Amino acid sequence: MTNEQRLTGLKRFMTLIPHCKMLNMQVEAVSETDLVLSLEGDQRFVGNARDQLIHGGLLTVLMDTACGSAAILALPEPEVCPTVDLRMDHYRAASAGQRLFCRARVTHLARQIVFTEGWIWQQQEDHPVAKGTGTFMRLGPERTPKGFAQHLFGTGGAA
Amino acid sequence: MNESDLQSGQLGERLTATTINGWFDLIPYARLIGVQALEQGDELLFQLQPESSNVGNPLLPALHGGVVAAFMETAAVLSVMAHTGGKRVPKVIDFSIDYLRSARLEPTLASCQLGRLGKRVVNVSVAAWQGERRDEPVALARAHLVWPE
C-alpha cells in the first residue's frame, strides 16, 4: 500500500466513524511508520469552562482513534481492531482555541495483538500535553467484514 | 485512610444528582456526549445517553471507545467533587481503561469508588455497564486526580 492510499483510506475511515465525523477529526499525515490526526480546540470540547481547558476525555477519543488507526495500517491487510486497553498520562492542560495534534505509531505487532503509543500536542510536538499507550486485538480476516479493506483503501485480496 | 489525608477534600454529605447536573454548563464536552448524574436508591450513578453521534463502529453498531472513556472520566471527576462538596475541581493526571465488551447503542451506566481520598492525590475506580447487566461491565477504568495547588 502506498502512502497516498493510506492517506485516502484513513480520510475515508474518519468519515465512516460517526463520532469522529461529528468532531471533524482530520488526517494530517500518514507514513509507513506513523500518522498524525488533529482536532480543532473547539468550545464544544471544553471540560473546564472557567479555565478554558479541553476535556481529558476528548484527548482520549483522539488517542484511541489515532492508535487504533495506526494498528489497522500496520497490518498486512486491514482488520477490525477493537481496543483492549488504553492508558493516558496528562502531562499538562490543553487549552481551548488551539488545535490538537496526535501522532501515533505501532511499537510491536504480534500475532493476535497490536501494541501502540501516541502523544498529543498543541503548539510544539516536543512539548506534549498527553502521552498514551493503547493495546488492540486483531480480529483476523475471518472476523473482519468482507470488503473492509477494499472499502477503505481500495485494496483487496492479499496485500 | 490517614486522618491528615482528609484535610483538602473533606468527605462531607454527598451532593445530590440535581446539584451535579447543574455543573454541566461548565463541562460542554460532557454535555455534547450526553452525560447525566442520577440517583438510584442511596447510590450516585452516571448515565451516558445512547446518541448515534457517539458511535465508533457503525457495523455493530458500538459506541466509540474514547467516548466511553470520556464518560467514565467525567464520572470519576464529578463523583470526587460530589463527595467533597464541589468547591474544588480536581485535575486528572492519568486515566487507564480496560474494554471488556463492546458497548452497544443503549444507555450506559457508571458507578465510582474512591480508593483513596488523599490530601494531594485521589484514586478512583469506575465501572460501566449497560441495562441490567451490572455484573458484566463493558469497561473498567481507574484514574488518579490531584487537587490544584
Side-chain angles (χ1 to χ4, degrees):
Chain A
M1 203 190 299
T2 65
N3 284 338
E4 193 67 30
Q5 280 176 309
R6 289 189 179 97
L7 185 68
T8 312
L10 201 51
K11 282 183 172 169
R12 197 175 301 146
F13 190 44
M14 289 304 122
T15 67
L16 296 175
I17 305 173
H19 194 65
C20 296
K21 199 175 169 184
M22 181 180 72
L23 303 180
N24 194 22
M25 200 176 282
Q26 300 292 313
V27 184
E28 298 286 338
V30 191
S31 75
E32 291 85 356
T33 55
D34 56 352
L35 58 90
V36 179
L37 303 184
S38 76
L39 278 175
E40 207 174 316
D42 201 289
Q43 274 302 320
R44 295 180 298 160
F45 308 156
V46 165
N48 178 338
R50 203 171 298 148
D51 300 328
Q52 283 294 296
L53 307 177
I54 296 292
H55 196 296
L58 191 270
L59 304 183
T60 311
V61 171
L62 181 58
M63 186 67 72
D64 186 35
T65 312
C67 288
S69 302
I72 290 175
L73 285 176
L75 300 174
E77 185 77 4
E79 296 168 21
V80 175
C81 292
T83 318
V84 176
D85 64 53
L86 185 67
R87 149 126 190 168
M88 295 289 290
D89 290 319
H90 295 279
Y91 289 176
R92 49 181 67 80
S95 312
Q98 291 175 19
R99 204 163 182 84
L100 294 153
F101 299 90
C102 180
R103 187 183 297 278
R105 67 179 177 207
V106 168
T107 52
H108 184 66
L109 177 61
R111 211 152 36 81
Q112 297 194 75
I113 300 293
V114 189
F115 299 91
T116 66
E117 64 175 4
W119 51 98
I120 295 174
W121 74 96
Q122 291 196 294
Q123 280 169 324
Q124 284 171 266
E125 186 167 359
D126 59 0
H127 199 67
V129 295
K131 177 82 207 294
T133 310
T135 307
F136 296 83
M137 185 153 63
R138 298 175 63 171
L139 280 195
E142 61 286 348
R143 291 178 66 191
T144 292
K146 289 244 177 306
F148 181 69
Q150 176 73 46
H151 186 49
L152 285 178
F153 302 100
T155 61
Chain B
M1 192 179 287
N2 191 322
E3 216 178 311
S4 65
D5 278 347
L6 285 170
Q7 287 172 5
S8 196
Q10 285 280 351
L11 269 182
E13 199 163 322
R14 199 196 70 211
L15 298 176
T16 63
T18 316
T19 308
I20 297 163
N21 285 325
W23 296 339
F24 283 103
D25 278 345
L26 289 168
I27 321 170
Y29 186 64
R31 178 162 280 167
L32 183 72
I33 61 174
V35 185
Q36 280 181 335
L38 58 95
E39 260 147 306
Q40 208 167 75
D42 263 356
E43 199 181 10
L44 175 67
L45 298 179
F46 295 86
Q47 181 168 272
L48 179 69
Q49 305 292 0
E51 310 280 358
S52 58
S53 57
N54 285 343
V55 167
N57 178 343
L59 300 170
L60 288 174
L63 298 180
H64 194 296
V67 173
V68 175
F71 162 57
M72 293 171 84
E73 183 184 313
T74 304
V77 173
L78 293 182
S79 143
V80 170
M81 289 175 67
H83 282 92
T84 54
K87 291 187 180 65
R88 310 173 75 197
V89 186
K91 294 192 288 188
V92 179
I93 48 170
D94 61 44
F95 179 87
S96 176
I97 180 165
D98 295 336
Y99 295 100
L100 310 183
R101 293 172 179 85
S102 64
R104 301 304 170 116
L105 190 54
E106 53 180 285
T108 311
L109 292 160
S111 72
C112 302
Q113 218 180 350
L114 296 184
R116 178 173 176 180
L117 186 71
K119 204 169 13 165
R120 298 176 65 188
V121 177
V122 183
N123 170 290
V124 200
S125 299
V126 191
W129 68 95
Q130 296 189 308
E132 302 299 312
R133 305 178 297 279
R134 190 166 182 169
D135 54 347
E136 294 175 10
V138 293
L140 298 173
R142 190 173 54 87
H144 285 106
L145 299 84
V146 285
W147 296 107
E149 289 168 59

